[in-house]
Amino acid sequence: MKLLSISAGKAAPLFGNHHPNYKSVASAIRKQVVSNIGNPAPVEITPLGVKGDEQADLSVHGGIEKAIYVYPAEHYTFWNELLARETKQPVDLRHGAIGENFTVEGLLETEVFVGDRLQIGGLEFSVVKLREPCFKFNAALGYKGASKAMLQSSFSGWYLRVLKTGALTAGTEITLIPGPREISIDQQNQKLLNGRNQKDLWE
């Protein structure tokens, strides 16, 4: 299990001037890699996440409970193939494209439970919950069915609370420390999928 890259982004208008009704909608979902295995620059991790990272809507992203968003690199093949099929164009998403701060390898939603802890180098984190996508995710990927695809695939990723701060570099090994193990991120996703009205879920 390894941290492949660390990404951060600034809040900016999501739609530009192309959608008059959404000119004021801002998002920091478009993340840029600030540390990867090829360039393992140290990045400061604070109680609110990656230093320099922003969130446009703190009611649904960021804060102490959603300081870091983690996404498995293994799912990028799924997204590249889906988007290429839907847009009829070749797609090669870069790390951070799903809006994540940490892109990881060797750790999936079926293996991560709410309350588990992750040790990455000298830092420690606690798994809080899955990511629930919204229309901003659709806009960022340029595909109106992206949020629906994320929930149906269970490829949601998860949020972390920062328990121990410090500097972190990409390429660092991850150690999983099991918590109560009552509900996995995958099970949380299935519960969300089954418990909501399908019409409400995608609008």
Side-chain angles (χ1 to χ4, degrees):
M1 297 180 289
K2 186 179 291 185
L3 175 63
L4 296 183
S5 61
I6 304 171
S7 301
K10 298 292 187 182
L14 183 59
F15 295 95
N17 294 320
H18 304 298
H19 295 266
N21 294 335
Y22 294 106
K23 277 185 181 178
S24 63
V25 176
S27 176
I29 193 171
R30 294 190 172 103
K31 307 293 186 189
Q32 299 295 319
V33 173
V34 292
S35 180
N36 60 26
I37 291 176
N39 180 29
V43 178
E44 186 178 344
I45 308 298
T46 76
L48 292 176
V50 177
K51 187 174 182 180
D53 189 47
E54 294 182 352
Q55 297 84 30
D57 185 352
L58 291 174
S59 68
V60 291
H61 301 292
I64 296 292
E65 291 300 306
K66 299 178 184 176
I68 301 283
Y69 175 43
V70 181
Y71 204 72
E74 287 84 349
H75 300 333
Y76 269 81
T77 298
F78 167 82
W79 290 111
N80 286 335
E81 292 176 353
L82 174 66
L83 295 173
R85 186 168 67 246
E86 295 296 331
T87 63
K88 307 295 192 291
Q89 296 176 353
V91 176
D92 184 19
L93 297 176
R94 303 302 181 191
H95 289 175
I98 307 300
E100 78 273 20
N101 303 111
F102 289 177
T103 310
V104 301
E105 179 182 67
L107 199 55
L108 301 175
E109 289 85 353
T110 51
E111 303 160 324
V112 176
F113 287 67
V114 174
D116 284 353
R117 286 181 294 145
L118 301 182
Q119 283 187 341
I120 312 177
L123 279 64
E124 192 168 314
F125 307 86
S126 176
V127 176
V128 178
K129 63 169 295 193
L130 85 169
R131 182 254 190 99
E132 298 179 51
C134 65
F135 73 96
K136 293 182 181 180
F137 181 59
N138 297 342
L141 291 191
Y143 171 49
K144 65 182 180 181
S147 292
K148 183 176 181 180
M150 175 173 275
L151 280 161
Q152 290 185 332
S153 65
S154 286
F155 296 166
S156 63
W158 58 91
Y159 287 108
L160 298 177
R161 171 199 279 260
V162 181
L163 300 179
K164 187 175 180 182
T165 62
L168 196 57
T169 57
T172 305
E173 296 291 329
I174 300 171
T175 301
L176 176 67
I177 302 171
R181 301 245 125 183
E182 293 172 354
I183 185 168
S184 70
I185 296 298
D186 177 69
Q187 289 166 342
Q188 199 174 53
N189 187 97
Q190 293 304 317
K191 188 175 180 182
L192 177 67
L193 192 60
N194 295 333
R196 283 193 184 182
N197 179 286
Q198 292 294 307
K199 184 174 183 294
D200 293 340
L201 193 60
W202 314 131
E203 291 185 349

